[in-house]
Amino acid sequence: MTSVPLLDRLRALDWRLTPQRRVIAEVMGGDHVHLTAEEVLERARQRLPEVSLATVYNTLNELVSMGEVQPVDAGGGPTRYDPNTKDGHHHLVCLVCGDLRDVHPEGLEALELPRSEHFGFRVVNREVLFQGYCSNCGRP
Amino acid sequence: MTSVPLLDRLRALDWRLTPQRRVIAEVMGGDHVHLTAEEVLERARQRLPEVSLATVYNTLNELVSMGEVQPVDAGGGPTRYDPNTKDGHHHLVCLVCGDLRDVHPEGLEALELPRSEHFGFRVVNREVLFQGYCSNCGRP
DNA sequence: GTATATGCAAAGCATTTGCATTAAA
DNA sequence: TTTAATGCAAATGCTTTGCATATAC
């Protein structure tokens, strides 16, 4: 899926590559990653202790602007950041603990917004959010 | 769609009916309402000046717990509250100004999560979010 | 050398909470 | 009379910002 690694794509965008940015990008590499800013900080600091939360937010926001990372707000908690922007990726979230998974629902092609409901919008994206209870959080 | 008005349903739930709660419920009545807590406060105060923001939040949270109102977090801004929980209602949001519309997409029946992607979750809901640019916000 | 990223600490919002007061039932 | 809702103000959690310093290019 991810043909060119994130770091290589960033290098190609003549993006000033600092140690902090490198470790943040490394942490954000890979699939099925849905970290919060705090979690990114924690993991980045394991590799490079001198990283600040402000830099994590700055960097994540830039990656979002570049289209390399997608922010996912699913019910209340802090924003999670998803580096998997290439495939049509949707999400399954636990209503209790916020656990988040990438899913690839079937039948998306058939999902259309009737023209009468465009309200003059230019529609550019569809996101499907499945909600439920994960195996830890049981069945309230 | 809304066969029994919100206020009548609340009365039936032996919910202590204060003037504040009444005006908040009145403000939340009707379709295609997607107000933020601040907007609810503003409108409620037009009818009853002695309403506080804390009470608006308390009351909205209760309405959410009762299943009478649904919170909608669509990209960044403050939570919007949608009293239209009965029909399968989905949303179209403007990526720039946050303008939010109720929509009723076609082909939802065909939208399924493959069993291999349930991850042990009990899936209870699907929400579809269409994103785009409204006629005011043009085409960046 | 110059432009830009960093870290810190402070500020900004949205939301929740503790607690004394008030009011619904 | 009892139990619960209100309002205020302070606290919280997440995120952004201003500014002096450090550093990639």
Side-chain angles (χ1 to χ4, degrees), chain B residues 16 18 20-21 50-52 55:
Chain B
R16 189 175 285 204
T18 66
Q20 290 88 339
R21 285 178 168 189
E50 40 285 311
V51 181
S52 71
T55 294

Side-chain angles (χ1 to χ4, degrees), chain A residues 16 18 20-21 50-52 54-55 59:
Chain A
R16 187 175 286 203
T18 66
Q20 290 87 339
R21 285 178 168 189
E50 39 286 311
V51 181
S52 71
T55 294
T59 304

Side-chain angles (χ1 to χ4, degrees), chain A residues 23 27 39 124 132:
Chain A
V23 293
V27 165
E39 290 167 344
V124 299

